[in-house]
Amino acid sequence: MYFIEKTEEFDKWLQKLKDLKAKAKILFRIQKLENDEHIGDCKPVGDGISELK
């Protein structure tokens, strides 16, 4: 099981994102991770935290 933390900084960045297609892809990717635990391409950044690519 994975814990997905969406920070306030991320929310602000996402709200400012004007490319609706990119925004939809990002939200779909996060939803897929939450629902199916499908990680896909990611990179560990330390302390058990990974960055989705």
Side-chain angles (χ1 to χ4, degrees):
M1 181 175 196
Y2 298 98
F3 176 75
I4 299 165
E5 181 178 356
K6 297 174 196 162
T7 63
E8 188 175 320
E9 183 178 357
F10 172 80
D11 286 339
K12 287 179 185 178
W13 171 81
L14 191 62
Q15 287 176 353
K16 290 180 184 178
L17 189 60
K18 300 208 185 302
D19 185 343
L20 297 179
K21 199 172 188 178
K23 189 183 286 192
K25 284 184 175 187
I26 292 165
L27 292 173
F28 179 77
R29 175 86 188 277
I30 292 170
Q31 183 181 26
K32 186 119 176 113
L33 180 59
E34 289 175 330
N35 295 338
D36 304 335
E37 294 186 11
H38 175 75
I39 300 172
D41 191 12
C42 68
K43 173 185 174 186
V45 293
D47 293 327
I49 298 171
S50 294
E51 173 184 67
L52 298 176
K53 293 183 177 187

